[in-house]
Amino acid sequence: MRKAGTLLLTLPLFLLACGGPTKFDQAQFSDTSAIHKQAGGYWKRDGFWGGLPQTINKVAITEFSVEYVTQNTDKSGASALSILGAAEMIGMGKRKRVFDPGFKEQFPALMYQGFVAALKDEGIDAVPMDTITNHPAFKDLSGAKPGKSFGTSNRNTSAKIEVFPAPGLPVVDDGWFKGIGNAKAEATLVAETGAQAGLRVRIRVALDDDGRAVLAAGSTIRAIYEPQKTTTGFNKET
């Protein structure tokens, strides 16, 4: 069985070439066997089954988006009545990350190209994007506008995020009202474009303190090869 995260271990390499973060040692990703060995250290699987069958050699990518972390806030958990809590309420621990507008729009296309090339290296072809977008079922995919924003939060941190898709593809709406219709449209696209599986990809990108783009925790790949069997790979904290 092919693990979902293994296919994406080339993404840290792609970001390394673009931004040069020091967290990744390029020698650890020197060839396919090294990438497979490192997979479990950077990605984890969510779901009960083992991943995509080895027989799958063609996939339909219905979404490929980049999630930009535009603000981080560290939270101590201190009471709002304390000095530390009061300081956090007026902005202590908050860091804004400013991406160039052109970069936010153009980078997803470069990431998409790198991702398709990485799949090719694994022996998996991607259905051409124009085949996807020209299929009648594509118009049934409901998506948000580029630049959609949302927030995430846990006990210690919170973040604000903006989402930009690769040009031509949607930011698929996975909400309660449109999620079922989108899943049906994706299943049709997979079945009728010659693909054996579908992929919906979100790559989360942050800026380090030196202004370099780095792969952030929270990136996801959702894979489907039968309507009743889906799995999502999440990259771990690094």
Side-chain angles (χ1 to χ4, degrees):
M1 303 291 282
R2 182 181 283 132
K3 294 181 179 179
T6 303
L7 300 178
L8 287 200
L9 256 293
T10 46
L11 285 173
L13 281 175
F14 190 69
L15 282 178
L16 180 70
C18 295
T22 57
K23 292 183 179 180
F24 299 107
D25 179 0
Q26 191 166 5
Q28 295 181 346
F29 305 97
S30 57
D31 54 39
T32 300
S33 61
I35 290 170
H36 283 223
K37 184 177 179 180
Q38 296 294 327
Y42 289 90
W43 294 86
K44 63 182 179 180
R45 179 176 56 82
D46 178 53
F48 65 89
W49 62 285
L52 296 179
Q54 293 284 356
T55 53
I56 288 179
N57 54 32
K58 192 171 187 178
V59 297
I61 302 174
T62 56
E63 179 186 357
F64 190 96
S65 299
V66 174
E67 298 181 347
Y68 297 100
V69 181
T70 59
Q71 182 174 295
N72 301 99
T73 303
D74 295 323
K75 299 182 292 184
S76 67
S79 169
L81 299 177
S82 67
I83 295 176
L84 179 57
E88 290 178 339
M89 289 182 66
I90 62 174
M92 190 186 80
K94 182 181 297 184
R95 302 182 307 283
K96 290 188 176 181
R97 306 298 192 183
V98 179
F99 293 85
D100 180 85
F103 174 82
K104 288 192 289 187
E105 294 178 356
Q106 297 167 15
F107 192 51
L110 294 175
M111 288 288 288
Y112 175 84
Q113 294 169 9
F115 182 76
V116 170
L119 290 175
K120 186 72 173 179
D121 289 343
E122 289 281 339
I124 301 172
D125 291 321
V127 176
M129 187 187 294
D130 59 355
T131 300
I132 298 290
T133 56
N134 289 328
H135 191 281
F138 182 76
K139 71 180 188 307
D140 296 327
L141 278 179
S142 297
K145 293 182 179 180
K148 169 191 175 182
S149 62
F150 68 95
T152 64
S153 181
N154 57 38
R155 182 176 180 180
N156 298 315
T157 62
S158 64
K160 291 183 178 180
I161 294 169
E162 294 180 357
V163 187
F164 285 80
L169 293 178
V171 178
V172 176
D173 189 334
D174 205 21
W176 175 260
F177 294 104
K178 296 181 179 179
I180 295 176
N182 282 337
K184 290 180 177 178
E186 287 175 304
T188 300
L189 285 168
V190 171
E192 297 184 3
T193 59
Q196 300 150 312
L199 295 180
R200 195 190 295 180
V201 183
R202 292 276 190 100
I203 305 301
R204 189 167 295 180
V205 174
L207 294 177
D208 66 11
D209 290 336
D210 294 319
R212 300 177 300 190
V214 295
L215 184 65
S219 301
T220 62
I221 299 175
R222 180 174 297 174
I224 177 172
Y225 74 93
E226 292 179 13
Q228 70 274 26
K229 291 184 178 180
T230 63
T231 190
T232 304
F234 297 87
N235 72 309
K236 300 179 179 179
E237 296 281 354
T238 57

